[in-house]
PDB file of all heavy atoms in Angstrom:
ATOM      1  N   LYS A  24     -15.782 -23.807  -1.206  1.00 79.00           N
ATOM      2  CA  LYS A  24     -16.089 -22.390  -1.445  1.00 79.00           C
ATOM      3  C   LYS A  24     -15.923 -21.602  -0.147  1.00 79.00           C
ATOM      4  O   LYS A  24     -16.402 -21.998   0.895  1.00 79.00           O
ATOM      5  CB  LYS A  24     -17.520 -22.251  -1.964  1.00 79.00           C
ATOM      6  CG  LYS A  24     -17.871 -20.826  -2.339  1.00 79.00           C
ATOM      7  CD  LYS A  24     -19.242 -20.750  -2.978  1.00 79.00           C
ATOM      8  CE  LYS A  24     -19.500 -19.364  -3.468  1.00 79.00           C
ATOM      9  NZ  LYS A  24     -20.313 -18.547  -2.655  1.00 79.00           N
ATOM     10  N   LEU A  30     -18.049  -6.041   5.253  1.00 97.00           N
ATOM     11  CA  LEU A  30     -18.295  -5.190   6.415  1.00 97.00           C
ATOM     12  C   LEU A  30     -18.728  -3.808   5.959  1.00 97.00           C
ATOM     13  O   LEU A  30     -18.104  -3.205   5.086  1.00 97.00           O
ATOM     14  CB  LEU A  30     -17.032  -5.074   7.273  1.00 97.00           C
ATOM     15  CG  LEU A  30     -16.455  -6.385   7.795  1.00 97.00           C
ATOM     16  CD1 LEU A  30     -15.175  -6.129   8.582  1.00 97.00           C
ATOM     17  CD2 LEU A  30     -17.469  -7.124   8.652  1.00 97.00           C
ATOM     18  N   GLN A  43      -9.395  -6.598   9.405  1.00 97.00           N
ATOM     19  CA  GLN A  43      -8.039  -7.144   9.398  1.00 97.00           C
ATOM     20  C   GLN A  43      -7.906  -8.311  10.370  1.00 97.00           C
ATOM     21  O   GLN A  43      -7.294  -9.335  10.044  1.00 97.00           O
ATOM     22  CB  GLN A  43      -7.024  -6.045   9.719  1.00 97.00           C
ATOM     23  CG  GLN A  43      -6.879  -5.037   8.604  1.00 97.00           C
ATOM     24  CD  GLN A  43      -6.028  -3.845   8.979  1.00 97.00           C
ATOM     25  OE1 GLN A  43      -5.896  -3.487  10.149  1.00 97.00           O
ATOM     26  NE2 GLN A  43      -5.448  -3.198   7.971  1.00 97.00           N
ATOM     27  N   GLN A  47      -7.322 -12.268   9.284  1.00 97.00           N
ATOM     28  CA  GLN A  47      -6.184 -13.007   9.827  1.00 97.00           C
ATOM     29  C   GLN A  47      -6.645 -14.321  10.465  1.00 97.00           C
ATOM     30  O   GLN A  47      -6.056 -15.368  10.223  1.00 97.00           O
ATOM     31  CB  GLN A  47      -5.459 -12.136  10.850  1.00 97.00           C
ATOM     32  CG  GLN A  47      -4.199 -12.755  11.405  1.00 97.00           C
ATOM     33  CD  GLN A  47      -3.507 -11.825  12.377  1.00 97.00           C
ATOM     34  OE1 GLN A  47      -4.147 -11.087  13.122  1.00 97.00           O
ATOM     35  NE2 GLN A  47      -2.185 -11.859  12.368  1.00 97.00           N
ATOM     36  N   LYS A  52      -8.007 -12.946   2.694  1.00 97.00           N
ATOM     37  CA  LYS A  52      -7.359 -11.696   2.316  1.00 97.00           C
ATOM     38  C   LYS A  52      -8.269 -10.545   2.771  1.00 97.00           C
ATOM     39  O   LYS A  52      -9.486 -10.675   2.759  1.00 97.00           O
ATOM     40  CB  LYS A  52      -7.159 -11.642   0.802  1.00 97.00           C
ATOM     41  CG  LYS A  52      -6.466 -10.375   0.360  1.00 97.00           C
ATOM     42  CD  LYS A  52      -6.095 -10.405  -1.090  1.00 97.00           C
ATOM     43  CE  LYS A  52      -5.677  -9.017  -1.453  1.00 97.00           C
ATOM     44  NZ  LYS A  52      -4.468  -8.830  -2.078  1.00 97.00           N
ATOM     45  N   THR A  64      -5.600   4.428  -8.404  1.00 96.00           N
ATOM     46  CA  THR A  64      -5.626   5.718  -9.110  1.00 96.00           C
ATOM     47  C   THR A  64      -4.440   6.604  -8.762  1.00 96.00           C
ATOM     48  O   THR A  64      -4.158   7.557  -9.493  1.00 96.00           O
ATOM     49  CB  THR A  64      -6.923   6.492  -8.785  1.00 96.00           C
ATOM     50  OG1 THR A  64      -6.947   6.785  -7.380  1.00 96.00           O
ATOM     51  CG2 THR A  64      -8.156   5.713  -9.212  1.00 96.00           C
ATOM     52  N   SER A  67      -6.071  10.527  -3.727  1.00 95.00           N
ATOM     53  CA  SER A  67      -6.937  10.417  -2.557  1.00 95.00           C
ATOM     54  C   SER A  67      -8.395  10.516  -3.012  1.00 95.00           C
ATOM     55  O   SER A  67      -8.681  10.977  -4.125  1.00 95.00           O
ATOM     56  CB  SER A  67      -6.631  11.532  -1.559  1.00 95.00           C
ATOM     57  OG  SER A  67      -7.048  12.786  -2.080  1.00 95.00           O
ATOM     58  N   PRO A  69     -10.723  12.609  -1.918  1.00 95.00           N
ATOM     59  CA  PRO A  69     -11.065  14.001  -2.243  1.00 95.00           C
ATOM     60  C   PRO A  69     -10.498  14.463  -3.592  1.00 95.00           C
ATOM     61  O   PRO A  69     -11.157  15.205  -4.315  1.00 95.00           O
ATOM     62  CB  PRO A  69     -10.443  14.803  -1.083  1.00 95.00           C
ATOM     63  CG  PRO A  69     -10.403  13.837   0.051  1.00 95.00           C
ATOM     64  CD  PRO A  69     -10.117  12.506  -0.579  1.00 95.00           C
ATOM     65  N   PHE A  72     -12.750  13.069  -6.318  1.00 95.00           N
ATOM     66  CA  PHE A  72     -13.992  13.846  -6.379  1.00 95.00           C
ATOM     67  C   PHE A  72     -13.750  15.181  -7.080  1.00 95.00           C
ATOM     68  O   PHE A  72     -14.549  15.593  -7.916  1.00 95.00           O
ATOM     69  CB  PHE A  72     -14.542  14.088  -4.967  1.00 95.00           C
ATOM     70  CG  PHE A  72     -15.507  13.051  -4.493  1.00 95.00           C
ATOM     71  CD1 PHE A  72     -15.087  11.759  -4.199  1.00 95.00           C
ATOM     72  CD2 PHE A  72     -16.846  13.349  -4.328  1.00 95.00           C
ATOM     73  CE1 PHE A  72     -15.972  10.802  -3.746  1.00 95.00           C
ATOM     74  CE2 PHE A  72     -17.748  12.397  -3.868  1.00 95.00           C
ATOM     75  CZ  PHE A  72     -17.304  11.119  -3.592  1.00 95.00           C
ATOM     76  N   ALA A  85     -18.608   0.768  -8.177  1.00 96.00           N
ATOM     77  CA  ALA A  85     -19.459  -0.275  -8.768  1.00 96.00           C
ATOM     78  C   ALA A  85     -18.625  -1.333  -9.483  1.00 96.00           C
ATOM     79  O   ALA A  85     -18.879  -2.538  -9.341  1.00 96.00           O
ATOM     80  CB  ALA A  85     -20.472   0.358  -9.729  1.00 96.00           C
ATOM     81  N   GLN A  95     -13.297 -15.139  -3.985  1.00 96.00           N
ATOM     82  CA  GLN A  95     -13.697 -15.877  -2.779  1.00 96.00           C
ATOM     83  C   GLN A  95     -12.643 -15.693  -1.699  1.00 96.00           C
ATOM     84  O   GLN A  95     -11.477 -15.437  -1.981  1.00 96.00           O
ATOM     85  CB  GLN A  95     -13.810 -17.370  -3.079  1.00 96.00           C
ATOM     86  CG  GLN A  95     -14.937 -17.755  -3.981  1.00 96.00           C
ATOM     87  CD  GLN A  95     -15.000 -19.269  -4.158  1.00 96.00           C
ATOM     88  OE1 GLN A  95     -14.372 -20.032  -3.435  1.00 96.00           O
ATOM     89  NE2 GLN A  95     -15.775 -19.705  -5.129  1.00 96.00           N
ATOM     90  N   ALA A 110     -27.455  -1.616  -6.196  1.00 96.00           N
ATOM     91  CA  ALA A 110     -26.773  -2.553  -7.103  1.00 96.00           C
ATOM     92  C   ALA A 110     -25.494  -3.081  -6.467  1.00 96.00           C
ATOM     93  O   ALA A 110     -25.205  -4.278  -6.534  1.00 96.00           O
ATOM     94  CB  ALA A 110     -26.479  -1.880  -8.439  1.00 96.00           C
ATOM     95  N   ILE A 122     -22.186  -7.759   7.002  1.00 96.00           N
ATOM     96  CA  ILE A 122     -22.302  -7.450   8.412  1.00 96.00           C
ATOM     97  C   ILE A 122     -22.166  -5.943   8.583  1.00 96.00           C
ATOM     98  O   ILE A 122     -21.181  -5.349   8.136  1.00 96.00           O
ATOM     99  CB  ILE A 122     -21.212  -8.174   9.233  1.00 96.00           C
ATOM    100  CG1 ILE A 122     -21.348  -9.685   9.052  1.00 96.00           C
ATOM    101  CG2 ILE A 122     -21.282  -7.784  10.700  1.00 96.00           C
ATOM    102  CD1 ILE A 122     -20.176 -10.487   9.544  1.00 96.00           C
ATOM    103  N   CYS A 123     -23.162  -5.349   9.230  1.00 95.00           N
ATOM    104  CA  CYS A 123     -23.126  -3.912   9.496  1.00 95.00           C
ATOM    105  C   CYS A 123     -22.621  -3.686  10.921  1.00 95.00           C
ATOM    106  O   CYS A 123     -23.239  -4.157  11.879  1.00 95.00           O
ATOM    107  CB  CYS A 123     -24.530  -3.314   9.321  1.00 95.00           C
ATOM    108  SG  CYS A 123     -24.537  -1.523   9.588  1.00 95.00           S
ATOM    109  N   ALA A 126     -21.161   1.226  16.492  1.00 89.00           N
ATOM    110  CA  ALA A 126     -20.358   1.529  17.661  1.00 89.00           C
ATOM    111  C   ALA A 126     -20.828   2.833  18.268  1.00 89.00           C
ATOM    112  O   ALA A 126     -21.351   3.700  17.581  1.00 89.00           O
ATOM    113  CB  ALA A 126     -18.878   1.649  17.264  1.00 89.00           C
TER     114      ALA A 126
END
Side-chain angles (χ1 to χ4, degrees):
K24 185 174 186 259
L30 302 178
Q43 290 172 335
Q47 184 178 35
K52 181 172 169 128
T64 63
S67 70
F72 269 69
Q95 291 183 13
I122 300 167
C123 182

